[in-house]
Amino acid sequence: MPPAAGKPIPRATYRVQLNADFGFDRTAKIADYMARLGVSHLYASPYMKARPGSTHGYDIVDHNALNPELGDDAAFQGMVTALRDNGLGQILDFVPNHMGVGGADNGWWLDVLEWGPDSPYSGYFDIEWDSDYRYLQGKLLVPVLGDQYGAVLASGGLELRFDTAAGGFAVWAYGSHKLPVRPQDYGTILGTDHPELERLGDLFAHLAYARPHQIRRAADHKAELAALAAARPDVADAIAQRLAVFHGDPGEPDSWGRLHALIACQNWRVAYFKVAADDINYRRFFNINELAGLRMDEPELFDVAHRLVLKLVEDGTLDGIRIDHIDGLIDPKGYCQRLTAATDKPFYLVVEKILARHERLREDWPIDGTTGYEFANLMGGLFVDPKGEAAFDRLYAGFIGRNEKFEDVVRIAKIRIMESEMASELHVLARKASRIARSNPATADFTANILHQALKETIARFPVYRTYVDGGAATDLDRRDIDWAISQARKAEQGPDGSVYDFLQRLLTTDLVASPRSGYSHRQVTRFAMRFQQYSGPVMAKGLEDTAFYRYNRLVALNEVGGHPEHFGVSPAAFHRANQDRARSWAGNMLASTTHDTKRGEDTRARLYALSEMPDEWERQIQTWSRLLRARRGDVEGTAPPDRNDEYLFYQLLVGAWPVELTGASADSLDPAAMTAFAERIVGAMTKSMREAKVHSTWAAPNEAYESAVTSFIHDALDVSRRNAFLESFLPFQATVAKLGMVNGLSQALLKLTSPGVPDIYQGCELWNLSLVDPDNRLPVDYGVRRRLLEEVDGALEQGTVPSLLDRWTDGAVKLAVTRAALALRAEKPDVFVSGECLPLEVTGEKAEHVVAFARKAGDDTVLVAVPRLVGGLGETPDWGNTAIPLPRGERWRNALTGESVEGGDAVSAAALFQRFPVALLVREG
């Protein structure tokens, strides 16, 4: 939707990942640098209080406190002041969907563990207290153990402790996970040996008489117990003696009987982490046990959780909020409506939302757009040659020894997720669906098992992350996706009877209760449809992004968050249409190219895009490399690890992430220390890829033998302690691709900074970003180097010597120059870039398909943008022939990147425009 009047839409943002090593103080110190670079806003990662040691901030334990590991309140205010002094606003990444649990830091969660369903916070979390399993009735599963419960118990990994300050008891797992004991059971612990402990134990045992004030009364008793223990050594000694009763001897299971009996009475069931797949009874963020889902649709929780963030909006600290994982919420639209209505002060609001290729952002949401994943993939597709797709299909299938359709890979991966990591949630859905079915004679024979099959087959084929049925009539968009998934599920071999799909279709659309006297509960049907949506999204995320993207490696530059690996390339016409649509409807949409979640950095992908133009050469290279490496290792048959698919991925990672400082070097001159560091980065990325693919290894059960063999393969490939025939073959090809990637990278940077929307620069990406999957994409940024280069770049822009930076392109100054110039122009001409039109320019001539050009126009003011694409097909010194870009007649233009003047005629030749510099940014003079 178009931005409201008075809303502070950023000109451009700079994303910073705050952590213990880069907190409020260090962010304050780069405020002047960000301002000089040309952005308008800091875009901060979450900085509310998170679990200790958090490296990302998404495991929040208190929404209303700052993270002390980032600095105290004074440090925070210092950062805010530094930003304001440099004319910068602030956007905050906010996490409403879940909280960090486990450990001993989340007060709400600890209270739920202590009091179970009676806790005032139990309704804040999505907990299924009414389990089908008797052993979980009224209990919360706590899957924090690294081994089976009995083994951990017998080894002493569970210990009963007394909190001398608070007067409470808790079982501690490994000394780090606090599991509060029910106060009603304190009498069992305190015993009858000491009169004071016996008296207090009796009071605790009869807390039920204090309802509904039992929690407050228990707190009074705890305070008395703590005071007695502090004042009287005999009481403290008696407590210590009672604790010893619950301690056994390691390796003697029977000696732990008393502790086991106490644990069995609690509101929680502590368990082996692998039990979560079958028994988890709280909604998680995806399949992460340490992140518990919140019921943010509850008004009381909403008000409490947003107290601080709304205060920061109202006092002007924040100009905007980025909502993390909007699809996790039960009612995303309702949440956004409530958020925007919670303050009278307009603020910028974007949501993290992954869109399918056919999917459009809902126009009735009161937001300014998404965080830009779809733009990154749209823009990247321009540099992928669709003519190379058939050859890539052939070479990929030939190298790995099988031919797979991406849609089949995704479906199989989603089914695996539903049968393993997220099986429990599916069982709960099936049980709820069967309860609804049994409430009406017409559907009473649809058992939980039948519905389980139908739900699994439907979700496996769901074309979007989720729909947005919310209790009203299902929209046409929602019906389209539900109907498609149901129709595809009906085709499943050995699936359930077709009538169950009729029921499921009416259940998911809520058509079951569209008419009066339906025989079904409107609340149960609506709630089920909405909970289904909260499940289909995580299954898509885990099955697609975190499994299929690591199994299907045809061209991994396309395997990006929000990407579509089966779609090989984007035409300039499609890019222009999307830009114009965004200018009309979502002018505040973020434009991303790299984020903290991207699997490969923007310039890593820019190199890999170039491979699409040279499938035959790529095939020759990988076949040669494979022979050389396997021969070096004595693997003549080619059957030793890595398997061919992992090996194929390895070569792409090498080409994409090869350090710029090593580009152009000969094999015998490579620095050993640099090569060791690079090898470790590749090992980290490959290990994560293998585990996410879940073919040879997994996170839950790492295959050490296979992983070690792959690690050895990597180190052999990158060994420079002796002559390395592989590197001698690899390096010339890598240097060629790197040069093409450089041009692609400059083109991407300029397109992002001039397209309709709000461009975001991920920390450090003003220089080359050749990162791999996290944590590689969250490494420290050297701002000293960037400050020095910015000084040089400012001089080069002023003197018109930016083209000379191409001679030293590996240091990234040339990319920084493009970034600096484009951001300066956005600041100089806000109307052009905020509300101006985006007009495609029809390039003519024999190489027209190799140019993307458009104009940004507001009134009489115009800026022209032109970049090359598919540059591998142009040769090292492109012959543009008669290729030309149209210009308005009679105008005089200045290239903001080179300082050159361009006379306006009907057109400017591509040869002239790109003669000195590979991309062009023209500003009308006079």
Side-chain angles (χ1 to χ4, degrees), residues 450-493:
I450 290 172
L451 286 162
H452 184 278
Q453 293 179 59
L455 285 165
K456 182 170 68 174
E457 296 295 347
T458 300
I459 294 170
R461 294 161 175 80
F462 224 66
V464 292
Y465 276 69
R466 61 166 288 173
T467 48
Y468 299 96
V469 175
D470 59 6
T475 66
D476 290 341
L477 295 175
D478 289 331
R479 289 183 183 279
R480 173 196 62 190
D481 293 326
I482 292 170
D483 291 350
W484 192 90
I486 292 284
S487 69
Q488 296 302 306
R490 289 179 188 273
K491 301 174 184 178
E493 295 182 8

Side-chain angles (χ1 to χ4, degrees), residues 354-387:
I354 295 174
L355 297 164
R357 283 194 64 227
H358 69 277
E359 189 180 11
R360 295 174 63 86
L361 189 59
R362 301 299 171 104
E363 295 184 356
D364 57 348
W365 291 11
I367 61 176
D368 295 295
T370 73
T371 52
Y373 295 149
E374 72 288 340
F375 178 80
N377 290 285
L378 173 81
M379 175 178 66
L382 285 171
F383 305 97
V384 175
D385 189 353
K387 293 193 293 292

Side-chain angles (χ1 to χ4, degrees), residues 856-883:
R856 300 300 309 276
K857 187 175 188 299
D860 293 333
D861 206 356
T862 306
V863 171
L864 270 60
V865 179
V867 304
R869 63 185 287 264
L870 308 182
V871 293
L874 295 172
E876 191 167 343
T877 53
D879 178 7
W880 288 103
N882 61 352
T883 307

Side-chain angles (χ1 to χ4, degrees), residues 651-673:
Y651 297 137
Q652 290 185 76
L653 298 188
L654 283 190
V655 170
W658 189 266
V660 286
E661 62 271 20
L662 301 180
T663 296
S666 61
D668 58 2
S669 66
L670 291 170
D671 177 56

